[in-house]
């Protein structure tokens, strides 16, 4: 909290008007409504230009009517809420004054139970800036005002006392320059580099190392030109994947905010603005497309397919039981196929089958962890997912079986003619099979105990045994060469 102007305690007979977007909540409800609309009925966005032609208030009303937000899941400014509760207890009249549509404002007011009046935009009037000021003067006469943006300056200029909530430094400076001082400031937290890294999910880039598998399997990892191509493919997949992760987080705001750990994601927690994510997703996608210009056209087509499939997963497919895990497994396999196209080496059907079964098993580990959480919290179903708490045993049996089948495919590959042509001592590769059986079995045993993170990749990156298994497999491959 920044230093505040030493003024006497606010008299309870002077009402306090509170802005909504960016002030009471750490987000813009219009932006979030548009994302909800895009997820539920993206074709309706083609009508948006027609709505805008009828005025901003009409546009807000049409969006809010079709994609109402859940007021209970919005990210509120907890420090401001505590202050408002104190003022309410003292008998002070609180008014919610916002340019957001009335449907949203009334839902928020009903949820919080703090406000005696709601002043908001209607279908024909966008209640922002001077219009909001005129309405508050008419309703309240004298009032204090809590806001966060430059559009609030006319209200701060006319109100009795100024309350600034999480405003940019420039806006705070302007408010302080109005001559009366700022009565109370709720400081805006700084955005850290770690927040950006978390939003891009840089740790998930480890999945894209799969593009190097065809290069290594073909024993061409020492060829500089092909290694450069593989690195470019890794970069393109990473940029494209981050674009998808950002978009997925934007479309899953409501579900993530209900989740015990996902609610800490930058866009769900609003440590990064939703508007930033809307701009960031296409920028990352365009950057990935630019890298594709240095790679074969077939790779670009595959990466485009990957993006479309991932987008379809985010919009709908992840809600379809079993299809969601098959798509996840397929997306892992697409990375391997993309690596083969980037370095121009033939793809092995054995490798594709092995990866499909192995990654299906890992995708089912992820779903098992989510269903286990449902059981522990005595819930029957997950928000935004198609699985029920009673699916636990079936998911476990399917996932363990898929993992064992992947090792069987590996064993059949070892006996194939392809291995004889590539390895001087192919019989030594049999040592990999028991090692993989151990790793798959251990992952599933730990998953049953609740010791595997919902994302098995995160688990593997933090698990020393997984690193040891990888090292043993690498040594066996070297000994067989």
């Amino acid at each position: 909290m920044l230093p505040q102007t030493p003024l006497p305690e606010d008299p309870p007979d002077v009402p306090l008007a509170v802005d909504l977007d960016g002030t009471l909540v750490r987000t813009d409800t219009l932006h979030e409504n548009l994302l909800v609309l895009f997820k539920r009925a993206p074709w309706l966005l083609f009508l948006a230009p027609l709505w805008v032609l009828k005025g901003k208030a009409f546009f807000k009303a049409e969006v809010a009517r079709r994609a109402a937000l859940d007021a209970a899941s919005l990210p509120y400014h907890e420090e401001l809420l505590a202050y408002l509760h104190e003022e309410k207890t003292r008998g002070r009249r609180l008014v919610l004054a916002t340019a957001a549509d009335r449907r949203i404002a009334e839902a928020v007011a009903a949820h919080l139970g703090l406000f005696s009046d709601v002043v908001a935009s209607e279908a024909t009037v966008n209640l922002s800036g001077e219009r909001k000021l005129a309405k508050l003067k008419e309703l309240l006469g004298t009032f204090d005002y809590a806001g966060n943006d430059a559009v609030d300056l006319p209200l701060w200029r006319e109100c009795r006392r100024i309350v600034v909530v999480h405003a940019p430094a420039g806006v705070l400076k302007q408010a302080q320059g109005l001559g009366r001082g700022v009565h109370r400031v709720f400081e805006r937290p700084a955005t850290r580099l770690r927040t950006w890294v978390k939003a891009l999910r840089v740790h998930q880039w480890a999945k894209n190392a799969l593009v190097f598998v065809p290069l290594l399997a073909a024993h061409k990892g020492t060829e500089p030109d092909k290694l450069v191509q593989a690195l470019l493919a890794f970069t393109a997949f990473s940029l494209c994947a981050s674009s998808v992760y950002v978009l997925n987080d934007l479309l899953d705001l409501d579900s993530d905010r209900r989740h015990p750990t996902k609610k800490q994601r930058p866009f769900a927690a609003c440590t990064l603005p939703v508007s930033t994510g809307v701009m960031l997703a296409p920028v990352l996608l365009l950057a990935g497309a630019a890298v594709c210009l240095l790679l074969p056209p077939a790779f670009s087509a595959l990466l485009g397919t990957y993006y479309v499939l991932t987008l379809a997963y985010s919009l709908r497919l992840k809600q379809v039981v079993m299809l969601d895990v098959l798509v996840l497994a397929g997306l892992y396999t697409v990375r391997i196929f993309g690596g083969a196209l980037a370095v121009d080496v033939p793809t092995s059907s054995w490798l594709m089958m092995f990866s499909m079964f192995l990654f299906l098993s890992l995708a089912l580990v992820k779903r098992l962890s989510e269903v286990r959480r449902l059981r522990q919290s005595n819930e029957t179903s997950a928000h935004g997912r198609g699985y029920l708490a009673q699916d636990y045993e079936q998911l476990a049996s399917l996932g363990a079986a898929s993992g064992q089948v992947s090792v069987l495919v590996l064993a059949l590959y070892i006996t194939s003619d392809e291995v004889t042509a590539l390895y001087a001592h192919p019989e030594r590769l049999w040592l990999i099979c028991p090692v993989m059986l151990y790793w798959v079995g251990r992952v599933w045993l730990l998953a049953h105990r609740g010791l595997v993170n919902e994302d098995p990749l995160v688990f593997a990156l933090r698990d020393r045994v997984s690193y040891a298994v990888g090292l043993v497999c690498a040594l066996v491959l070297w000994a067989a060469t």
Side-chain angles (χ1 to χ4, degrees):
M1 186 85 64
L2 292 176
Q4 300 162 17
T5 304
L7 295 174
E9 190 178 58
D10 301 329
D13 58 334
V14 177
L16 172 62
V18 183
D19 181 41
L20 177 61
D21 294 331
T23 303
L24 184 62
V25 296
R26 300 192 306 270
T27 188
D28 188 303
T29 54
L30 176 60
H31 295 163
E32 297 214 6
N33 259 335
L34 285 169
L35 289 170
V36 172
L37 187 62
F38 176 72
K39 184 175 182 178
R40 292 179 181 173
W43 57 88
L44 287 177
L45 292 181
F46 291 105
L47 297 176
L50 299 178
W51 300 337
V52 172
L53 290 176
K54 295 185 178 182
K56 193 170 184 180
F58 182 85
F59 171 70
K60 290 178 180 179
E62 289 300 302
V63 173
R65 184 168 67 86
R66 290 171 168 82
L69 290 174
D70 180 6
S73 67
L74 288 174
Y76 294 94
H77 279 131
E78 297 299 336
E79 193 178 5
L80 175 63
L81 271 184
Y83 169 67
L84 295 179
H85 277 287
E86 291 175 3
E87 295 301 295
K88 180 74 171 179
T89 302
R90 293 178 55 232
R92 195 172 194 195
R93 182 182 179 187
L94 302 179
V95 178
L96 183 60
T98 176
D101 184 74
R102 178 167 290 277
R103 292 178 183 84
I104 299 172
E106 289 183 344
V108 169
H111 169 66
L112 295 177
L114 287 171
F115 301 99
S116 57
D117 300 278
V118 173
V119 176
S121 294
E122 306 283 353
T124 58
V125 179
N126 183 46
L127 206 73
S128 178
E130 297 288 352
R131 287 179 177 173
K132 186 192 290 187
L133 173 61
K135 186 68 175 179
L136 289 176
K137 280 185 173 181
E138 176 187 342
L139 177 66
L140 305 175
T142 303
F143 63 92
D144 294 349
Y145 184 75
N148 74 295
D149 198 75
V151 74
D152 296 315
L153 287 169
L155 291 103
W156 282 330
R157 191 174 291 114
E158 297 289 333
C159 74
R160 189 183 67 102
R161 287 183 179 172
I162 298 171
V163 178
V164 180
V165 183
H166 287 208
V171 173
L172 176 58
K173 186 176 181 180
Q174 286 180 284
Q176 291 170 331
L178 293 176
R180 289 173 290 110
V182 175
H183 174 62
R184 194 175 183 107
V185 176
F186 294 88
E187 189 176 0
R188 185 179 189 174
T191 301
R192 302 178 183 275
L193 177 61
R194 181 179 179 183
T195 304
W196 288 95
V197 171
K198 192 174 180 180
L200 297 179
R201 296 203 214 174
V202 173
H203 68 281
Q204 297 281 7
W205 291 3
K207 297 176 182 178
N208 302 320
L210 291 170
V211 300
F212 294 99
V213 171
L215 183 68
L216 298 175
H219 294 185
K220 296 182 181 293
T222 57
E223 298 182 20
D225 57 334
K226 292 191 179 297
L227 184 59
V228 169
Q229 293 294 95
L231 286 169
L232 290 172
F234 173 84
T235 303
F237 261 109
S238 297
L239 291 170
C240 188
S242 286
S243 172
V244 174
Y245 289 136
V246 169
L247 184 57
N248 179 76
D249 287 354
L250 293 175
L251 297 177
D252 270 0
L253 290 174
D254 188 48
S255 297
D256 286 352
R257 286 168 182 160
R258 300 170 187 267
H259 195 277
T261 56
K262 293 179 182 179
K263 65 182 180 182
Q264 301 302 328
R265 287 177 174 176
F267 297 113
C270 286
T271 49
L272 281 180
V274 168
S275 56
T276 298
V278 171
M279 293 185 291
L280 188 60
V283 168
L284 290 167
L285 178 60
L286 290 173
V291 175
C292 284
L293 297 176
L294 304 173
L295 293 165
F299 174 85
S300 301
L302 182 75
L303 190 63
T305 303
Y306 164 84
Y307 191 87
V308 170
L309 186 59
T310 309
L311 181 59
Y313 173 82
S314 297
L315 290 173
R316 180 70 182 96
L317 298 183
K318 65 181 176 184
Q319 301 172 20
V320 182
V321 171
M322 287 307 300
L323 182 58
D324 64 328
V325 289
L326 288 171
V327 171
L328 285 177
L331 291 174
Y332 281 103
T333 306
V334 163
R335 290 173 168 93
I336 296 176
F337 191 49
L341 292 176
V343 299
D344 192 25
V345 297
T347 54
S348 167
S349 57
W350 293 107
L351 180 60
M352 294 301 168
M353 283 191 292
F354 169 75
S355 64
M356 178 58 75
F357 282 111
L358 179 62
F359 294 125
L360 175 59
S361 180
L362 295 180
L364 286 165
V365 166
K366 185 174 182 178
R367 292 295 175 261
L368 185 85
S369 299
E370 293 173 352
V371 171
R372 188 176 189 278
R373 182 184 62 82
L374 288 178
R375 284 191 167 188
Q376 290 178 329
S377 56
N378 294 319
E379 299 177 49
T380 56
S381 61
H383 189 271
R385 302 288 184 185
Y387 294 94
L388 305 175
Q390 65 196 49
D391 296 331
Y392 185 88
E393 288 76 13
Q394 186 64 26
L395 289 173
S397 60
L398 289 171
S402 182
Q404 302 301 312
V405 170
S406 71
V407 182
L408 174 61
V409 171
L410 177 61
L412 293 174
Y413 168 66
I414 292 172
T415 63
S416 68
D417 294 336
E418 293 180 33
V419 170
T420 305
L422 287 172
Y423 294 91
H425 305 283
E427 69 281 355
R428 297 177 182 175
L429 294 175
W430 282 104
L431 292 173
I432 295 179
C433 289
V435 174
M436 285 301 299
L437 285 170
Y438 162 74
W439 186 79
V440 170
R442 178 176 177 271
V443 167
W444 275 98
L445 183 62
L446 294 178
H448 274 281
R449 296 176 179 177
L451 299 177
V452 177
N453 189 286
E454 288 188 2
D455 189 334
L457 172 68
V458 174
F459 164 78
L461 290 175
R462 298 173 179 173
D463 180 46
R464 294 180 181 177
V465 174
S466 296
Y467 283 103
V469 166
L471 178 60
V472 170
C473 289
L475 292 174
V476 171
L477 288 170
W478 175 77
T481 303

